[in-house]
Amino acid sequence: MATALPSTTICQTSFSFPSQNPCKVKSPSLIFPTKSHDLIRCSAKKKISIVDRILDYIEGGPKLRKWYGAPDLLPKDGSDAEDEDELPGNAFVIAESEVRDAVLVTDGDSEIGQMIILSLIVKKARVKALVKDKRAAMEAFGTYVESMAGDASSQPFLKKALRGVRAIICPNEGFLSDAGNLQGVKHVILLSQLSVYRGSGGIQALMKNNAKKLAEQDESRLVASGIPYTIVRVGMLQNTPGGTQGFSFEKGSTEKGSLSKEDAAFICVEALGVIPPVGFTFEAANGEEKVSDWKQCLTRLMEKSEQKLP
């Protein structure tokens, strides 16, 4: 059965979903990866924000959800089945043999957070997200994403949020500084702009001083956590199309360099496939190097990082 995407969205690169015919797009705006590493670019006819375009795609309605075999949207009151597990005294029932297969995206309603979520949905990953407005997130993502709103510094809430979570992707600074025990998590990926903050001067340095402190705290907390981690230090994030430029992973490239937000989101998702024994940090900015195999590229960067250790 042929099914069309929402009226505001058209596709430039041919691609297929279950029970769907290929479609074409006219103008570039959003790129996200497929299982075969092709890039799909989606666009809206009207000049709307990248976040709105992502939501337009996700809000394709019941027909789009059926492509993934997902049920209808959750109740409008913001409740979900998991809330029924909550017991008096903020206690929660947790199965001893809990399956950890979900990826938790912090700051899930931020622009880059939504890009990461969309890429995970396309990969058919189980996604959980921390958001400020749970109802809005549910209306946007439906049952693709288990959206949760609450205080990450509250251990009962964090314990609930981490149920079934194997990996965490942090697209912005602040979460790790406030979060409590991350017990059970197997891998944390942190998108860090610390190099940019440290390279800022004058009024920019004053404006970004708080973000710099949070980024430093996040990195320090993550390194000391004992959880395998990947810190992706990026250049200045830009609202430019992803997948159109190469990359630079050289030390110092991020201090004055820049990186497409779409490319940054893509790298974070690809980093899920390479779990370091302990942890490693690398820099990423747009440059000349073309990457065809991200698993191989990230493994090379990880091994290079290990060689520098005393």
Side-chain angles (χ1 to χ4, degrees):
M1 178 181 69
T3 308
L5 289 174
S7 60
T8 57
T9 307
I10 46 181
C11 307
Q12 182 174 5
T13 306
S14 296
F15 65 101
S16 298
F17 288 102
S19 305
Q20 183 225 3
N21 293 328
C23 61
K24 303 283 183 182
V25 188
K26 296 181 180 178
S27 60
S29 65
L30 171 64
I31 295 179
F32 54 89
T34 65
K35 207 166 186 178
S36 60
H37 305 296
D38 294 328
L39 290 177
I40 300 171
R41 189 189 302 272
C42 291
S43 175
K45 293 180 180 179
K46 297 180 180 179
K47 290 185 178 180
I48 57 177
S49 72
I50 191 74
V51 176
D52 288 334
R53 286 196 289 267
I54 293 173
L55 295 181
D56 283 345
Y57 183 82
I58 294 297
E59 292 172 332
K63 291 183 179 179
L64 179 59
R65 285 190 286 279
K66 287 179 181 178
W67 292 343
Y68 288 91
D72 292 333
L73 285 171
L74 297 175
K76 292 285 186 179
D77 62 2
S79 63
D80 59 27
E82 186 174 352
D83 290 337
E84 296 176 2
D85 291 338
E86 189 170 345
L87 300 176
N90 288 323
F92 301 94
V93 177
I94 302 179
E96 292 182 0
S97 57
E98 179 182 35
V99 176
R100 289 188 172 272
D101 59 356
V103 179
L104 176 68
V105 180
T106 66
D107 206 3
D109 38 16
S110 66
E111 184 177 18
I112 195 164
Q114 298 217 24
M115 293 178 186
I116 291 171
I117 289 172
L118 180 56
S119 293
L120 290 169
I121 290 173
V122 171
K123 285 180 173 288
K124 297 187 177 180
R126 180 187 168 202
V127 185
K128 299 182 75 171
L130 299 183
V131 298
K132 295 179 179 66
D133 189 334
K134 181 177 177 179
R135 180 171 177 176
M138 288 170 59
E139 290 177 345
F141 294 114
T143 51
Y144 293 131
V145 178
E146 184 179 343
S147 301
M148 307 183 72
D151 182 2
S153 65
S154 166
Q155 193 58 36
F157 171 76
L158 184 63
K159 187 175 181 180
K160 181 179 179 182
L162 293 177
R163 289 173 58 185
V165 170
R166 66 176 174 85
I168 299 175
I169 298 179
C170 303
N172 293 305
E173 60 274 338
F175 170 77
L176 294 171
S177 302
D178 294 333
N181 193 344
L182 301 181
Q183 184 178 2
V185 175
K186 307 299 183 184
H187 188 197
V188 178
I189 298 164
L190 172 63
L191 186 67
S192 173
Q193 295 189 70
L194 185 55
S195 296
V196 176
Y197 301 148
R198 286 176 173 172
S200 299
I203 189 65
Q204 287 295 320
L206 292 175
M207 293 174 62
K208 296 178 179 178
N209 186 53
N210 186 53
K212 176 186 172 184
K213 288 181 179 178
L214 287 175
E216 289 174 337
Q217 291 171 6
D218 278 357
E219 289 199 14
S220 297
R221 175 79 188 278
L222 184 54
V223 171
S225 69
I227 302 172
Y229 66 86
T230 300
I231 298 176
V232 187
R233 283 191 182 168
V234 297
M236 180 70 71
L237 293 173
Q238 302 286 345
N239 289 313
T240 54
T244 61
Q245 305 177 70
F247 298 89
S248 173
F249 304 106
E250 296 300 319
K251 185 176 180 179
S253 61
T254 57
E255 192 170 312
K256 299 299 181 183
S258 63
L259 181 69
S260 162
K261 290 181 180 178
E262 294 173 4
D263 285 336
F266 181 83
I267 292 173
C268 286
V269 173
E270 290 301 309
L272 289 169
V274 180
I275 303 177
V278 180
F280 84 110
T281 302
F282 69 94
E283 298 188 27
N286 284 128
E288 300 300 322
E289 181 178 341
K290 300 296 182 181
V291 179
S292 58
D293 187 329
W294 277 97
K295 186 172 184 177
Q296 184 181 71
C297 175
L298 292 172
T299 300
R300 171 176 59 84
L301 292 172
M302 180 175 64
E303 292 174 348
K304 183 178 179 181
S305 176
E306 290 174 348
Q307 290 173 1
K308 292 181 179 179
L309 295 176

